[in-house]
Each structure stands twice: as structure tokens, then as C-alpha cells.
């Protein structure tokens, strides 16, 4: 492929140790070797999800995981409160609407996170769930899931969290905070290649699954959970064996470093990127109360696309541009997964060079 | 992982050249490099599908591809004729039923393929499509898709073919034969790691898609086709970059050998396996008119499971056992993808040894 430095909100740099785990001979998915690897990955996933519930693995993009949660938990006509703080919240709403859910959308000003009070004010008895993005890469804003979960405690509403760009990089404690469904993907803070989505549900969420009238087959969670809990754990259909091996290796690295240390490293690198950006006289797009530790959005006006192109051409560093109405106005620097201060500094030096030239 | 020889109906042995293509640094999916690789893969897929239509790629198991075809082409209540010659035909029927299709099932005796006349006799005006498995790995039987397509010519019925365990190993000419939808996966005759499904539709099938009332988002073919036909081809959601690179490399190898030569090699190896099995005094399970060139089923009675276990333990060769009511009664030797006569002979010698000991 190439040797470029990926400073995007995913896919992220994959450590050589993880890449190498894919270059071994193919393993058959009905062997004891694969069963052992799958159960080992599942235990490691419980650790990064901070849950004692099963974590299901599907060959799919994160968007598939979001769809899977909806088709397993709901029936057409069910009403949900969907909190959108950007492009990915809007996408989650589109998926819910595509499957016939009644979606009441709480739209938060871009660059901000959602105030628990605003969610509480929008909540109706008819809402079966509150759906929220933990970290919104389009605006580099992070929601305070712990506070939102506290606000919902005691309410008979499922809390569903899109943690695709946060899990493994930003503190998330599924059981302790009381989250009912967490969805993530392999290619973000979990520093694995893209192609796997991981989903975990609370016991309360599992009770809803039996009632769901949504058509489903590939995404059937009950089948996936039953197979995962067999004496020889397996997947209902052929798993992406190489990607399972890669994710297992990447999560082993997270366990070795320690999840809390990994969160701290992300915070450290994020602060370094933000202060470096400000030292260059550039403006952080996101409101100070909601700064993300996995991605930074910088408001640089019409130079955005040219600076992004120059960073790749002159320095071999890939960053992302703006999405939606922010296209051509901001750049987004990802700093999640396999990331350290040296990578941050290299990116900042290159950004300074490109800003001077642009 | 391990160095075992995979003689199963998938996942199959992945050539080192293909494995190595995954061990390079991660590539971002919105770069020109990825767009070039994706369009190159798409052109190679057209060649192995023998079609001029777009071939869509999704991160998913083959079962996801079968589901995707149904949710894009049909609406709840649509009536289809589903021809089942084994476990995978039955699964396709279950998927169709899960999504509310009216499924008339033509069940063919296991070990046999479907006679075009039998399909013709079961066909009703109300049937919108005929759904058939090209190669049924559970019984090692292959349907004559060319004859079935000829029988349907002129009829206003879509012909949908599950080619998961045949495409790239058994002759299939989508355009010339007039097939409306072909679904396959990466880990069978295409000798790539599992995790990608590939789907191509005829122009006639594309016309049906606009009328589909099935809820869909992740599987949306129109979105996937639009993104694939952009100036910079891409996927709607994050693709499994490493698996795309692997499949592109594997298909390059098929192009270098030549598709017709690849089909001939599969036929040669299949004949060698079958004659070797008969020389051991063992009985081929499948009827002689429908023998598969990608997998061989051998009826060895209650020794099946112990012989299978011994082959792995003593010889490091993985084969498959029986499925459904054939469990514990047959063994299935896969010979597709990265396969040659030496591998077949090694497997036959090991089988002879295990039969003697069992």
C-alpha cells in the first residue's frame, strides 16, 4: 500500500505487530484454534467495553453495526429520541428512519455536545430509547455519556451509544455508567484494519430483542450470542478470520498498556495537538467544553483543501477535510489508536510548513 | 495462525503473495491510492463474473450478500421460486422468509442437482424470480446454471444465483448465460481471506431495485453503485481496506493464469480427488451427473468424524464433515482456489492412512 502517516479519524495507523498477525496461513473458522482466538478476542473486547456482557463481532463497517442494533432492538413505528451533534448523528437518524422508526431528532449546534438537560427536556413517555453519538468526528466534539446516562437513570429508556470513534480512546464504562447498547468498529482507536464491528448489549436490552418485529437474518444477535456461548465459540457465518486475528493482537496491546493508560495517552496527545494548533495562531473549531481526545477540528477557512492536499503531497501525512457544510472550511486531524506525541509533533511541524506556503 | 493445509469448502488456502498484500501499512479509504485499487479490483471482478455490469463489494460474509440481494430486489409479499439442493439452498430460503417473501421451495433430493424441467414445472406466473444455488457445498452437487438460464430465457423472471462456492472455480458466464444477480464471497475459489461479499446485477435487475419496498441502509445497492462510479471510486462506508488489497492481488493471480485455465485446473484436481477416493474403495456421495469441481463428498459412514479428526491431528489437513442429516456420515474435501494435484495427492495419501487406522 503506502507508508503514509494516517492522522485521520479512521482508518488509523495499524501497528506492524497487528499487520503481521494477518500474514500467517489462513485458519479454518470451525477449528479449535479459531474458537480459542474468538473467545480470547471476546474477553478482550469485554475489557475495552468495560462490560461483563457478551460483545458480538460481525464482518461489517461500523454503519452496519449501527443498523444491526436498530433491527434487533426495535419494531417499525417505535419512537426514539436521537441526539445529533453532527454528520454521524444525522446518519444514525437516517438509518433509523430507513427502518421505519419514529425519530424525534434533537439537533445540537455543530461544534457543541448535548446538554443532559436538553435531552431531558426533549424526552417523551413514548420514547423507547435515547440514541447518542459518543464522539462526533465531523465536528471533533465529545458528548458526556456519563452525565447523560446519570440523567436517564431510573427512566425506562434504552441508552444506545455510537462509540465508533471513541471506544478505546476516550473513557467509556458501559456497565458502570449503565449504557444499554454500545457499537464500535475495528479501525479507529482499536488500531486494527477496517471490516469488523463490535456490539454489546445490557441485559435490559437483551429483553427487548425478543419483542423486535424488524426483519433480520445476517444481523441476528440472538443467533450470534448463542454461537458465541457454545462450548466451541463460533460465529453464525464465516467470520473475517484475518481481521479477528488482527483485532485480537491489537487488543492484546491495549491490555498490555492498560486501558486507563491508553485513555491518558489519548488525552495527552490531544492536548498537544490542540496547543500546537493554537501556537500556530489557528482556531480550534470545537467548543472548549466538548473537545475530543481522538480528533481535532481546525477552522482554517478556504485554505483547508489545499493544506490537506499539501500535507499529503509534501509530507506524506493524511488528514481529513470538513464534512457537510464544513467542507472546504476546516481540517480534521485524527489522533487515535496507534498514536504518540512524536506523530503529533511531526504533523504540527508539517502543518506549520503548509500554512506558511498556502 | 497455523500451517495446516485447508481442504475445506472455504475458507481456503490463501497464497503467500495474497497474505503479504495485507501486511503493508494501512491505506486511507478516501485517498487516490485506494480509489485506484478499488477500481482495479472492480475491473478484475467483472472478469471473473464474466459481466460488463458493476460488481459491488461489501464488508460482510457471503450470507450478508445473499440478504443484500433480497432486500434490494424485492418487497415484502413478493413471490419467488427457490430451488434448494441442500443446506445453503435452505438457508437462502430462510433469509427470504425472514424478509417476508412468499417462498415456494422446490426441494431436490440431496446429492442431486435440479432438472431444468422440474424448475419449469414449478414455475408460476406470480413468481418474480427463480433463486438457485450454483454449487451446493453440503452435498457437493453443482446445478447446471446455463441450462436453467436457457429454460428461463424469454420468461419475465429474475434469475438469482448463489455462486459463493463456485465463482472462480466452476464455469459461470453471467452476461452470456443471462443471469440477473450473482453473489459470491472472497474466501472460496477466489482464494482470499473471508470478509468480503461481491454482487453483480443485470440491467433488468437494476430496474427492479427502484421498486423495492424492503427497508435497507447498509445494503443499499444504488448508493454503492453511485459511489463506485464517481470520478474517484469509493464505498459508501469504510471498506475493509486490507481485504480489498488481498482480493485485488488474488484476482490478479487468476487473471495471470487465465480464468478458463483456472476452471480447467479445478476440473483436473476434482477428477483426481474423485478417482483417488474411488481407488480407496470409498463411495462418492453425489450423483454422477452433478459432481462438483470445488468440493467432493465421500460417504464413509460412522467413521466420518474420527477420520476428519485424525486427518487434522496426524496430517495437519483440515477437511469438513457432513451438515444436516449427513453429519457423522460423510466427509467433504474442498478443492478450490489455491489448489493443485500435489495437494490433492497429499490429502488422498493421508485419507488412505486414516481409513486404514480408523
Amino acid at each position: 500500500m503506502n507508508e503514509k502517516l494516517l492522522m485521520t479519524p479512521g482508518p488509523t495507523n495499524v501497528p506492524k505487530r497487528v499487520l503481521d498477525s494477518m500474514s500467517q496461513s489462513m485458519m479454518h473458522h470451525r477449528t479449535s484454534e479459531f474458537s480459542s482466538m474468538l473467545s480470547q478476542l471476546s474477553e478482550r473486547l469485554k475489557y475495552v467495553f468495560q462490560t461483563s456482557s457478551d460483545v458480538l463481532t460481525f464482518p461489517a463497517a461500523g454503519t452496519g453495526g449501527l443498523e444491526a442494533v436498530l433491527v434487533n432492538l426495535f419494531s417499525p413505528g417505535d419512537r426514539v429520541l436521537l441526539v445529533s451533534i453532527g454528520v454521524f448523528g444525522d446518519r444514525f437518524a437516517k438509518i433509523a428512519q430507513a427502518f421505519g422508526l419514529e425519530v424525534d431528532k434533537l439537533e445540537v449546534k455543530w461544534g457543541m455536545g448535548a446538554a443532559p438537560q436538553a435531552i431531558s427536556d426533549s424526552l417523551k413517555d413514548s420514547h423507547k430509547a435515547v440514541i447518542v453519538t459518543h464522539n462526533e468526528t465531523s465536528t471533533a466534539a465529545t458528548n458526556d455519556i456519563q452525565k447523560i446516562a446519570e440523567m436517564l437513570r431510573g427512566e425506562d429508556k434504552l441508552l444506545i451509544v455510537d462509540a465508533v470513534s471513541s471506544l478505546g480512546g476516550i473513557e467509556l464504562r458501559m456497565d458502570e455508567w449503565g449504557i444499554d447498547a454500545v457499537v464500535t468498529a475495528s479501525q479507529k482507536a482499536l488500531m486494527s484494519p477496517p471490516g469488523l464491528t463490535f456490539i454489546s448489549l445490557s441485559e435490559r436490552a437483551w429483553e427487548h430483542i425478543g419483542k423486535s418485529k424488524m426483519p433480520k437474518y445476517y444481523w441476528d444477535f440472538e443467533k450470534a450470542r448463542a454461537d458465541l456461548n457454545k462450548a466451541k465459540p463460533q460465529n453464525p457465518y464465516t467470520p473475517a478470520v484475518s481481521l479477528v486475528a488482527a483485532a485480537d493482537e491489537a487488543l492484546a496491546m491495549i491490555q498490555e498498556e492498560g486501558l486507563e493508560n491508553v485513555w491518558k495517552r489519548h488525552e495527552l496527545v490531544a492536548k498537544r495537538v490542540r496547543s500546537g494548533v493554537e501556537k500556530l495562531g489557528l482556531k480550534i473549531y470545537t467548543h472548549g467544553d466538548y473537545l475530543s481526545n481522538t480528533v481535532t477540528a481546525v477552522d482554517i477557512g478556504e485554505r483547508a483543501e489545499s493544506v490537506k492536499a499539501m500535507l499529503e503531497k509534501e509530507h506524506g501525512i493524511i488528514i481529513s477535510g470538513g464534512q457537510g457544510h464544513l467542507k472546504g472550511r476546516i481540517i480534521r486531524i485524527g489522533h487515535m489508536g496507534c498514536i504518540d506525541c512524536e506523530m503529533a509533533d511531526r504533523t504540527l511541524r508539517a502543518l506549520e510548513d503548509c500554512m506558511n506556503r498556502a
Side-chain angles (χ1 to χ4, degrees), chain A residues 73-75 78-81 124-130 156-159 208 211:
Chain A
L73 287 174
F74 300 107
S75 300
D78 282 350
R79 194 165 181 185
V80 298
L81 176 63
K124 295 190 172 64
D125 293 349
S126 54
H127 289 140
K128 290 203 166 180
V130 173
D156 181 26
K157 318 281 182 198
L158 293 175
L159 174 58
H208 281 248
K211 303 170 202 150

Side-chain angles (χ1 to χ4, degrees), chain A residues 81-98:
Chain A
L81 176 63
L82 192 139
V83 182
S84 176
I85 65 170
V87 168
F88 290 91
D90 289 348
R91 177 185 290 179
F92 211 160
K94 286 197 192 86
I95 303 172
Q97 283 152 350

